[in-house]
């Protein structure tokens, strides 16, 4: 029989004697039983089914497959690294948490600048101005708090020079022509007219104002920031004279007009200034008792004034409804309504927004 | 990283991409699909469209009008028509894969051990373009041995003969690896062809592939019956002499004669494999014998013929048709443990 089936006799005997543990493996055992049954003329399927049922315990389920795997080399175990990393992250977080809870007020309010230091800043600014006279145009503008473009200023100065140079020669350049139109109306000396024209040439100046003989008169009509320069230049009559004289004497020099302009500005910077002089008889006036930043807007949000008023400076508020005031130092600002002082709007250093500059509302405020 | 997350939602699958049948094993669900590897393609306005896949397409095989083509994209265990094979895999994956989950599955496909790198790459690429997230390949004899329940990881030799549709794989396995393997391009298809050739030669009757397969399944035998003609069967086909359909009766003995050549080739392959087996492993094999898997194992008396030819005990695995699919599925289920039987072409 073993020869016929080629199944070794011990295995066949094991099958006969139900010694299933001696058989090589479930797959082979089932194969042997099937071959044996077929050979004996039995119903192979039934025999195999019964055999499987009988051996269900011997060959429990499918055998686990264990692949031989090479012994892992000695390395730092990944788990340890992970654990260490977690621990360190925990420590880092704990430390941060501790620090952040201990020193809660790391971000303190920036303290106000002491007056001593503010004075220093102001002084250094003045010193700078005095020193750097070469940067006249730009610097003088800064000192006067004017916001007119320095380029424009320079251009006008140069234009003035060109004219002064051209005039004696009797040249009829077109640029000079435009200037010349206003000349007959100017009662002052030739040099003075030139100064006025130079001012008039700034973009904001209207031709009508230029034609007015007195430069002081022309200035207040202009609310633009370039005014101060004009006003100051006009107030002390001497410097312009000198300036033009200097220009006349040396026409090819490009900058002489700028240089003398600076001293004319500086003395004024120390004095109290008046803004919005065209609103001479306005009902409301803002008078700075100390340095205060002031911004005035009209009802459309258009800026009328935005600057730092020095102590003693005055702004004449135009008589228009819907004006609002914003100030950075409510205590340093005195409001005069119809010549009568109103109490201050707030404490020193208090910031106020959207304060209506309507006389009635202001009155009712106090 | 993301693919790992979506992996939980997708139904990973193992595919036994066979020449004759394709079986799909889904993780946790077992074999869910067993259909013939046939695709019917219809040509519509110059465009080729898949008309049917699987059983439906197999019915069309050899019975198609001009605009339909029933194609078997695999020949001899490898992809012969790349695009059609891709369509077929795509169809099967779509059919099996859980439509609710948008994730693409991990797929293990088995390849014949004798296939070349180009053929493997073709299989892997078509599985990838069919929508697989990741593709692994497993060698067919290993999958068959695992599926048959052989102790492949033990230090003992096991011999498995997997007779598929296109190829016959003979392999000796030990310690989880293939010690020796041999793949011959003889299988069920070659048997069908042999039957067709025999009937044409001896009876001047032309039968189709489908008919030949039916004959093989019903009265096919590896060796002639001991006495008489054995079982008989009526076959239908076209008479080659006068071109009319004809019916005749054929016996088991005749079919056994016709199958002598492919069966001989299989025996030869087994013998060659045994010759190349190391003596220690040969000793193990003498003890336990050869296990037959694959559809070819169902050919009557094949175990008997092999037993006599080799002198070794030969047993047929349980459910030989699904051994490879089961083994591939097991590799999928125990992926971390059986990782070293899987390979990838990249």
């Amino acid at each position: 029989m073993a020869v016929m089936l080629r199944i070794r006799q011990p295995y066949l005997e094991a099958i006969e004697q139900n010694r299933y543990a001696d058989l090589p493996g479930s797959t082979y055992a089932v194969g042997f039983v099937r071959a044996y049954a077929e050979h004996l003329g039995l119903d192979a399927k039934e025999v195999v089914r019964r055999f499987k049922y009988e051996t269900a315990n011997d060959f429990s389920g499918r055998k686990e497959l264990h692949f031989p795997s090479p012994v892992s080399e000695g390395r730092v175990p990944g788990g340890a690294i992970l654990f260490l990393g977690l621990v360190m992250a925990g420590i880092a977080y704990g430390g941060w948490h501790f620090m952040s809870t201990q020193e809660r007020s790391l971000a303190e309010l920036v303290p106000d600048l002491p007056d001593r230091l503010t004075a220093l800043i102001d002084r250094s600014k003045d010193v700078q101005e005095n020193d750097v006279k070469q940067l006249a145009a730009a610097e003088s503008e800064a000192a006067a708090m004017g916001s007119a473009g320095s380029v424009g200023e320079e251009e006008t100065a140069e234009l003035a020079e060109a004219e002064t140079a051209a005039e004696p020669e009797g040249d009829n350049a077109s640029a000079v022509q435009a200037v010349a139109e206003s000349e007959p109306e100017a009662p002052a000396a030739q040099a003075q007219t030139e100064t006025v024209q130079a001012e008039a040439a700034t973009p904001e100046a209207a031709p009508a104002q230029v034609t007015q003989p007195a430069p002081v008169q022309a200035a207040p009509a202009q609310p633009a920031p370039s005014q101060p320069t004009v006003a100051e230049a006009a107030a002390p009559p001497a410097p312009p004279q000198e300036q033009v004289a200097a220009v006349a004497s040396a026409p090819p020099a490009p900058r002489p007009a700028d240089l003398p302009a600076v001293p004319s500005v500086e003395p004024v910077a120390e004095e109290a200034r008046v803004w919005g002089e065209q609103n001479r008889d306005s009902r409301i006036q803002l008078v700075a008792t100390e340095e205060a930043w002031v911004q005035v807007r009209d009802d459309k949000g258009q800026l009328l004034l935005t600057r730092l008023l020095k102590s003693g400076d005055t702004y004449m508020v135009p008589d228009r409804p819907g004006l609002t005031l914003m100030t950075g130092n409510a205590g340093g600002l005195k409001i005069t309504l119809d010549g009568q002082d109103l109490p201050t709007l707030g404490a020193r250093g208090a910031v106020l927004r959207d304060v209506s500059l309507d006389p009635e509302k202001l009155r009712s405020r106090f | 990283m993301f693919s790992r997350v979506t992996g939980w939602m997708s139904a990973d699958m193992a595919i036994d991409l066979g020449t004759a049948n394709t079986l799909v094993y889904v993780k946790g669900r077992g074999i869910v699909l067993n259909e013939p590897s046939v695709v019917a393609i219809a040509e519509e306005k110059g465009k080729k469209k898949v008309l049917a896949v699987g059983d439906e397409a197999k019915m069309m095989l050899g019975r198609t009008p001009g605009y339909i083509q029933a194609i078997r994209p695999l020949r001899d265990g490898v992809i012969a028509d790349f695009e059609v094979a891709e369509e077929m895999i795509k169809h099967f994956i779509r059919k099996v894969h859980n439509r609710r989950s948008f994730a693409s599955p991990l797929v293990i496909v088995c390849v014949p051990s004798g296939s070349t790198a180009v053929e493997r790459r073709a299989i892997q690429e078509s599985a990838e373009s069919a929508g697989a997230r990741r593709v692994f390949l497993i060698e067919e004899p290993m999958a068959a041995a695992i599926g048959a329940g052989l102790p492949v990881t033990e230090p003992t030799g096991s011999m498995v003969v997997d007779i598929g549709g296109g190829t016959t794989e003979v392999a000796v396995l030990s310690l989880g690896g293939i010690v020796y393997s041999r793949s011959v391009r003889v299988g069920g298809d070659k048997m069908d062809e042999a039957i067709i050739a025999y009937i044409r030669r001896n009876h001047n009757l032309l039968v189709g592939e489908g008919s030949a397969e039916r004959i093989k399944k019903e009265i096919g035998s590896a060796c002639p019956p001991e006495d008489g003609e054995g079982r008989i069967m009526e076959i239908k086909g076209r008479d080659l002499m006068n071109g009319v359909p004809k019916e005749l009766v054929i016996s088991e003995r005749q079919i056994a004669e016709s199958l002598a050549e492919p069966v001989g080739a299989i025996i030869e392959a087994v013998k060659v494999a045994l010759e190349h087996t190391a003596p220690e492993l040969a000793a193990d094999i003498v003890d336990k014998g050869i296990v037959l898997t694959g559809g070819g194992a169902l050919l009557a008396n094949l175990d008997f013929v092999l037993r006599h030819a080799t002198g070794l005990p030969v047993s047929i695995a349980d459910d030989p048709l699904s051994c490879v699919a089961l083994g591939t599925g097991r590799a999928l289920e125990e992926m971390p443990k059986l990782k070293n039987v899987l390979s990838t072409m990249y």
Side-chain angles (χ1 to χ4, degrees):
Chain A
M1 189 73 76
V3 175
M4 281 292 292
L5 287 175
R6 310 281 174 183
I7 300 171
R8 287 175 61 220
Q9 202 170 339
Y11 290 154
L12 286 179
E13 281 167 7
I15 291 172
E16 288 291 345
Q17 294 158 13
N18 292 349
R19 287 184 286 111
Y20 302 129
D22 293 351
L23 294 170
S26 64
T27 314
Y28 297 109
V30 170
F32 293 167
V33 169
R34 186 183 287 120
Y36 194 22
E38 270 173 16
H39 186 74
L40 294 177
L42 303 170
D43 182 0
K45 275 184 191 165
E46 179 63 18
V47 171
V48 167
R49 196 188 61 76
R50 284 194 198 169
F51 175 77
K52 278 187 180 168
Y53 181 76
E54 275 179 45
T55 60
N57 298 323
D58 291 295
F59 307 114
S60 50
R62 55 186 186 186
K63 288 184 85 176
E64 282 300 308
L65 295 174
H66 294 289
F67 278 86
S69 56
V71 180
S72 58
E73 291 164 23
R75 278 182 300 178
V76 183
I81 288 176
L82 202 72
F83 179 73
L84 217 70
L86 278 174
V87 166
M88 283 177 76
I91 288 170
Y93 176 73
W96 174 78
H97 188 72
F98 179 75
M99 295 290 276
S100 57
T101 47
Q102 286 295 303
E103 294 167 46
R104 216 167 281 242
S105 55
L106 269 177
E108 280 175 3
L109 280 172
V110 177
D112 286 332
L113 211 59
D115 289 343
R116 189 165 48 83
L117 287 177
T118 22
L120 266 177
I121 289 172
D122 283 350
R123 199 174 301 160
S124 69
K125 202 186 276 176
D126 288 346
V127 168
Q128 263 188 336
E129 281 159 14
N130 288 328
D131 286 351
V132 195
K133 286 193 178 175
Q134 270 70 16
L135 300 171
E139 286 291 309
S140 65
E141 284 295 310
M145 303 294 172
S147 64
S150 61
V151 178
E153 202 71 13
E154 266 183 276
E155 273 174 12
T156 52
E158 274 168 325
L159 186 66
E161 288 162 31
E163 282 153 12
T164 38
E167 222 67 33
E169 288 168 40
D171 208 302
N172 280 332
S174 59
V176 180
Q177 201 69 35
V179 176
E181 282 172 32
S182 61
E183 271 174 35
E185 288 168 77
Q190 177 77 16
Q192 252 175 331
T193 326
E194 288 301 332
T195 331
V196 176
Q197 279 164 356
E199 287 149 8
T202 56
E204 293 88 356
Q209 289 153 6
V210 178
T211 55
Q212 284 173 3
V216 188
Q217 214 74 19
Q222 195 58 31
S226 69
Q227 270 183 336
T229 335
V230 177
E232 288 148 14
Q241 291 281 12
E242 287 169 14
Q243 168 193 347
V244 178
V247 171
S249 62
R255 290 195 178 255
D258 300 339
L259 292 175
V262 177
S264 73
V265 169
E266 281 210 26
V268 188
E270 308 296 323
E271 293 162 14
R273 284 168 295 179
V274 178
W275 312 97
E277 268 180 281
Q278 70 272 31
N279 317 311
R280 192 155 280 261
D281 31 50
S282 66
R283 297 180 66 192
I284 305 170
Q285 290 177 358
L286 303 177
V287 181
T289 52
E290 50 191 272
E291 219 164 67
W293 178 82
V294 177
Q295 189 178 64
V296 178
R297 286 174 185 272
D298 66 6
D299 49 351
K300 291 181 193 105
Q302 200 84 38
L303 275 177
L304 294 183
L305 173 94
T306 171
R307 62 172 59 251
L308 190 69
L309 293 184
K310 291 260 171 72
S311 175
D313 284 2
T314 309
Y315 175 58
M316 300 191 176
V317 183
D319 283 338
R320 268 200 262 165
L323 295 183
T324 53
L325 165 78
M326 197 199 285
T327 179
N329 185 4
L333 207 61
K334 194 173 70 188
I335 301 181
T336 312
L337 178 59
D338 297 338
Q340 147 185 22
D341 286 0
L342 294 175
T344 51
L345 290 165
R348 264 190 75 199
V351 177
L352 282 182
R353 286 194 177 79
D354 293 339
V355 179
S356 177
L357 285 178
D358 192 61
E360 274 61 51
K361 281 186 185 162
L362 267 179
R363 220 186 278 278
S364 62
R365 196 182 162 94
F366 302 104
Chain B
M1 195 64 192
F2 184 68
S3 68
R4 199 173 284 183
V5 175
T6 58
W8 294 333
M9 293 183 275
S10 73
D12 293 345
M13 53 185 78
I15 301 177
D16 169 16
L17 196 61
T19 314
N21 291 292
T22 296
L23 286 85
V24 179
Y25 180 105
V26 175
K27 196 172 182 175
R29 282 162 64 194
I31 293 174
V32 294
L33 184 136
N34 181 0
E35 285 196 43
S37 309
V38 186
V39 182
I41 285 182
E43 201 170 322
E44 217 172 76
K45 291 172 192 166
K47 264 187 182 173
K48 286 187 174 177
K49 285 181 182 169
V50 175
L51 198 67
V53 180
D55 286 319
E56 212 181 324
K58 198 184 180 184
M59 297 298 289
M60 301 178 185
L61 208 57
R63 297 191 177 99
T64 53
Y67 72 99
I68 299 176
Q69 254 186 306
I71 301 171
R72 295 177 62 183
L74 287 105
R75 285 276 167 193
D76 299 330
V78 294
I79 291 179
D81 191 325
F82 194 83
E83 283 168 25
V84 177
E86 197 179 303
E87 282 300 321
M88 189 179 77
I89 298 170
K90 214 180 278 182
H91 177 267
F92 287 145
I93 288 179
R94 220 177 290 143
K95 199 169 175 182
V96 162
H97 196 240
N98 198 341
R99 295 305 295 272
R100 284 171 299 163
S101 57
F102 53 88
S104 46
L106 182 142
V107 172
I108 299 180
V109 188
C110 62
V111 290
S113 63
S115 58
T116 62
V118 176
E119 289 163 345
R120 286 175 194 215
R121 189 175 283 264
I123 287 175
Q124 175 157 2
E125 272 173 14
S126 56
E128 264 164 10
S129 54
R133 176 176 87 243
R134 193 91 205 275
V135 177
F136 287 104
L137 303 176
I138 182 170
E139 292 202 88
E140 226 167 274
M142 178 56 84
I146 294 172
L150 300 186
V152 286
T153 54
E154 278 165 35
T156 170
S158 316
M159 190 170 196
V160 66
V161 178
D162 176 42
I163 305 160
T167 57
T168 293
E169 312 270 336
V170 185
V172 179
L173 306 124
S174 177
L175 287 168
I178 294 175
V179 180
Y180 176 83
S181 84
R182 188 177 165 79
S183 176
V184 288
R185 307 225 153 160
V186 177
D189 288 348
K190 280 275 165 21
M191 294 179 191
D192 296 346
E193 280 168 29
I195 290 172
I196 293 169
Y198 176 85
I199 294 172
R200 193 180 58 205
R201 201 166 53 241
N202 295 301
H203 300 280
N204 284 324
L205 186 75
L206 199 60
V207 291
E209 276 183 40
S211 298
E213 194 184 345
R214 220 166 35 247
I215 295 164
K216 176 185 73 183
K217 280 180 180 168
E218 284 190 22
I219 59 169
S221 173
C223 66
E226 283 165 33
D227 50 342
E229 294 295 309
R231 292 165 291 174
I232 55 165
M233 184 185 173
E234 287 178 352
I235 55 165
K236 294 153 214 163
R238 179 161 60 92
D239 194 340
L240 281 171
M241 296 296 282
N242 48 27
V244 292
K246 200 171 100 177
E247 188 179 330
L248 60 82
V249 173
I250 202 158
S251 70
E252 192 180 337
R253 178 173 292 277
Q254 287 171 308
I255 298 303
E257 267 176 48
S258 68
L259 291 179
E261 197 212 321
V263 170
I266 291 168
I267 290 167
E268 191 59 31
V270 175
K271 278 184 169 174
V272 170
L274 286 169
E275 271 173 35
H276 286 88
T277 307
E280 286 294 343
L281 293 171
D284 294 334
I285 293 165
V286 165
D287 215 22
K288 299 186 292 184
I290 301 168
V291 172
L292 295 183
T293 67
L298 293 173
L299 184 69
N301 295 323
L302 186 64
D303 54 337
F304 177 82
V305 171
L306 265 175
R307 198 176 291 140
H308 279 266
T310 60
L312 296 171
V314 175
S315 33
I316 298 168
D318 282 339
D319 196 6
L321 275 170
S322 48
C323 267
V324 174
L326 287 173
T328 315
R330 191 162 174 197
L332 179 70
E333 299 273 7
E334 297 172 32
M335 187 99 169
K337 219 198 287 177
L338 303 183
K339 196 143 205 168
N340 41 357
V341 299
L342 302 175
S343 63
T344 176
M345 288 310 290
Y346 303 115

